[in-house]
Amino acid sequence: MKKILNVFVLLLLTILSTLYISHTVYATENELQADTVSTGPELVSWMESHIGLGGTVSLAADITLSDTWYYMPDRHGQPTITVDTNGFSITVTGEISFLSDDRLTFYGTPDEKGVFRVAAGGLLFMEGCAIEEKAANPAEAEKTTGRTKDAGGYVLVQEEGAGLVVQNCAISGDIRYAQMPLVIYNTPVTAVASPGQEAVDVLPSVVVSQVIRKGQKYFGEEIPVTWETAGTEKAQQERRRFTVQGTFQGAASLEPPVCTVVYNDAPLTFTDVSASLSYSAYVFQGGYTKPEEKLPIRVAMEYSFDLNNWILYDTESVSDVEELFFIGVAKADWDTSANPYIYIRLRCSDGGEEIYSNVLRFAVDDLSKVEDQGGSRGGGTAIVNPPKEPAPVPESSVSPKPKKNDDSSDKPGAGEADSAQKNIPVEARQQGKTPVISSDVLSDKNKRNTADNTKTAGKPAGRSNINGNTMDGDNTRKEQTEKASGSGQLADATGDVKQPDTGGKNNVGVPWVLPAAVLVFGAAAGMILFVRHRRLR
């Protein structure tokens, strides 16, 4: 029996050791072999799986990188990755970023196609990378190495209407930049026309933008623009807000400039307004004009589904002309099948007289479209609460009132090359200010950032009946919506709840299961042999 047990233990250890050694040899041979890819998705997949391992990959055909993708190691000092284009070209039609710490190298043959070609509408950001010349055929090295742009050889080609940013990169060869700069982000603006002024008097002649020029990104540049106002004649005649698009002069752009014209013909007038949807609520927020000479005032923020029954969301004391409004409507409170539209308005009292703002209408199937219903829409049935003193709003409210953003990164004249920060263009698009161009002057005090102040959270609220008639209810729709939203998680700029950080990407690591199994079984075998030995003694 003793011999049988010893033989069994030795056989088990031999099998496990053989499996581990063969697996290690197989992995080592694979690492020494250069992999090959023939499509853009294959290259993306390979680079993502080797971001913590390093290695070399070769192209087997011309490939295209589309959609949005970032190569960005989660820490410094990762193993080096090499991409040998093998005489082929990489065309960029999406938004692609290669961000490294000098551990990413592309080898390629400079020719009329370029190692990289950024097509119109595409964006390529490169930082801390290297592009080195290498002939596809070593016998042709003397013909291709050092080829100049006069001979038609480029490592990077930027077509007109494309974006190319190169920072802290070692480039061996020539780059062909587009002749026209590219506007990659422009801030939508709101032009306010005072009584007696027309749209043509307040439409801005320049728009502050982020621009790519000769491989560098610049902020706060004033780009001339012309506006297309055809089709807005009726809105201009009725002096109701409208939105127009424009065309940049002397620059290409990924998106056209946008301007909303607002007629400030009433004490309360909506200016820049945004609407968004989270999984639990609809959010409406932005700026509005106020009677400065009568501040402070109490402003009621209301919404309706039929223009007759108005629901009070919140009432606030306003003492600053820069203060913004905020209205949140729980999904459960909006029967979109029966009411495809929602209306919002502001209301305040002046010596016993009710003053109303203009009314804005939003459609549930497209919140980006805003229709001005005109002003003085008073009357109807006010669905509010019994007269009581307003209760204080908890500091942990999930729907805080937006605040003025004093960031001045988009000030005109601040157009210096951005050579320090990472190029994350998506974040740049999602963050922005909404300046209000008054009839007198474009000033920093008229700039607002409403996108970064949307805070909604929680589960859908159930329906509640509210009755009475007062502006000072102690349990407004705002508080009901917040109480019904019980998750306590803050939402991002789009109203979507932020998910917890999972710790980054899952990188492929050293196989540890087999060594651990060997150690465990070895220890068990040792214990068995030790016990048997003790018994025999």
Side-chain angles (χ1 to χ4, degrees):
M1 183 65 183
K2 177 181 177 181
K3 291 183 178 180
I4 295 177
L5 180 61
N6 291 341
V7 170
F8 174 76
V9 171
L10 291 175
L11 180 62
L12 179 62
L13 290 176
T14 302
I15 293 174
L16 290 175
S17 300
T18 303
L19 290 175
Y20 177 69
I21 293 173
S22 61
H23 177 80
T24 303
V25 171
Y26 177 78
T28 303
E29 290 177 351
N30 275 355
E31 291 176 0
L32 295 176
Q33 294 177 357
D35 295 323
T36 302
V37 297
S38 56
T39 66
E42 288 180 2
L43 176 62
V44 169
S45 178
W46 187 94
M47 294 185 70
E48 287 183 342
S49 64
H50 286 73
I51 197 169
L53 297 175
T56 299
V57 63
S58 297
L59 301 188
D62 292 332
I63 67 172
T64 299
L65 297 177
S66 57
D67 300 325
T68 299
W69 180 62
Y70 302 99
Y71 173 85
M72 184 169 59
D74 54 4
R75 61 182 182 273
H76 290 281
Q78 294 279 44
T80 300
I81 283 183
T82 301
V83 179
D84 187 350
T85 61
N86 200 27
F88 296 104
S89 179
I90 301 175
T91 299
V92 175
T93 60
E95 186 174 322
I96 306 298
S97 295
F98 293 107
L99 310 177
S100 181
D101 54 344
D102 302 321
R103 294 179 181 272
L104 175 60
T105 300
F106 294 89
Y107 286 105
T109 305
D111 54 21
E112 63 279 357
K113 294 187 299 183
V115 177
F116 278 95
R117 171 175 290 271
V118 190
L123 289 173
L124 175 61
F125 296 84
M126 304 189 74
E127 181 173 346
C129 308
I131 302 180
E132 298 184 7
E133 294 185 24
K134 178 182 178 181
N137 182 356
E140 301 293 323
E142 295 182 359
K143 299 180 181 179
T144 59
T145 302
R147 180 182 289 179
T148 65
K149 57 190 176 188
D150 295 332
Y154 298 94
V155 291
L156 285 165
V157 176
Q158 176 191 4
E159 295 181 356
E160 296 296 330
L164 173 63
V165 175
V166 181
Q167 295 180 347
N168 302 321
C169 293
I171 306 297
S172 176
D174 296 304
I175 302 176
R176 191 184 79 185
Y177 291 111
Q179 297 299 312
M180 187 176 294
L182 177 72
V183 176
I184 57 173
Y185 177 76
N186 65 92
T187 306
V189 295
T190 302
V192 180
S194 299
Q197 289 185 314
E198 301 298 333
V200 67
D201 301 322
V202 296
L203 281 169
S205 59
V206 297
V207 171
V208 178
S209 309
Q210 295 179 16
V211 178
I212 292 178
R213 181 187 296 107
K214 300 297 182 183
Q216 297 295 317
K217 186 165 63 174
Y218 298 84
F219 295 87
E221 292 217 355
E222 294 182 331
I223 307 299
V225 62
T226 57
W227 302 102
E228 180 55 59
T229 59
T232 65
E233 292 80 7
K234 182 178 179 180
Q236 293 188 51
Q237 182 180 3
E238 296 177 353
R239 296 185 69 82
R240 297 191 181 187
R241 67 184 289 139
F242 64 90
T243 300
V244 293
Q245 293 185 350
T247 303
F248 287 107
Q249 302 299 304
S253 64
L254 296 179
E255 296 179 355
V258 176
C259 180
T260 298
V261 177
V262 174
Y263 294 94
N264 187 24
D265 295 337
L268 298 175
T269 302
F270 288 110
T271 55
D272 49 303
V273 178
S274 67
S276 59
L277 170 63
S278 73
Y279 74 89
S280 63
Y282 296 89
V283 175
F284 308 89
Q285 61 178 345
Y288 62 100
T289 62
K290 309 163 186 68
E292 298 185 35
E293 68 282 357
K294 296 181 180 180
L295 296 180
I297 58 175
R298 290 189 65 78
V299 177
M301 305 168 193
E302 303 175 332
Y303 63 92
S304 173
F305 301 113
D306 57 9
L307 279 178
N308 292 317
N309 300 297
W310 289 92
I311 302 170
L312 175 65
Y313 173 73
D314 191 26
T315 301
E316 293 183 345
S317 178
V318 177
S319 58
D320 188 345
V321 294
E322 298 294 336
E323 291 193 45
L324 309 176
F325 78 90
F326 186 97
I327 297 175
V329 182
K331 279 186 176 180
D333 289 340
W334 186 357
D335 184 356
T336 56
S337 59
N339 304 294
Y341 299 103
I342 190 171
Y343 306 84
I344 64 172
R345 75 178 183 187
L346 305 175
R347 175 168 59 94
C348 71
S349 294
D350 181 17
E353 179 185 359
E354 295 293 318
I355 299 176
Y356 297 89
S357 71
N358 56 325
V359 176
L360 300 184
R361 188 183 78 172
F362 299 84
V364 66
D365 58 350
D366 190 355
L367 293 175
S368 64
K369 292 184 179 180
V370 186
E371 291 190 16
D372 194 338
Q373 305 296 295
S376 302
R377 292 300 181 99
T381 302
I383 307 178
V384 288
N385 294 293
K388 289 183 181 179
E389 290 298 322
V393 179
E395 294 183 359
S396 60
S397 169
V398 296
S399 298
K401 178 184 68 174
K403 297 180 180 179
K404 176 187 176 185
N405 189 318
D406 293 326
D407 186 8
S408 57
S409 62
D410 285 338
K411 289 183 179 180
E416 299 179 358
D418 172 32
S419 59
Q421 67 175 8
K422 296 288 185 183
N423 293 295
I424 307 296
V426 168
E427 294 180 2
R429 291 183 189 179
Q430 292 178 344
Q431 299 174 0
K433 303 170 183 60
T434 307
V436 178
I437 302 179
S438 68
S439 58
D440 300 322
V441 65
L442 172 62
S443 62
D444 290 333
K445 74 176 183 178
N446 288 326
K447 296 182 179 180
R448 292 180 173 87
N449 184 345
T450 61
D452 292 335
N453 292 299
T454 304
K455 303 291 181 183
T456 60
K459 300 177 181 179
R463 291 187 177 275
S464 300
N465 293 325
I466 305 176
N467 47 45
N469 186 11
T470 180
M471 291 179 60
D472 296 329
D474 69 337
N475 190 23
T476 62
R477 236 350 177 239
K478 172 183 178 182
E479 294 169 339
Q480 293 176 1
T481 302
E482 292 168 356
K483 290 178 180 179
S485 302
S487 70
Q489 298 182 29
L490 293 181
D492 60 14
T494 62
D496 294 328
V497 174
K498 295 179 179 179
Q499 300 298 326
D501 187 7
T502 58
K505 297 180 178 179
N506 296 323
N507 295 328
V508 179
V510 178
W512 56 268
V513 177
L514 287 176
V518 171
L519 291 176
V520 171
F521 281 104
M527 289 295 295
I528 293 174
L529 292 176
F530 177 75
V531 171
R532 297 285 296 177
H533 178 71
R534 294 281 293 180
R535 288 180 178 179
L536 291 175
R537 294 184 58 185

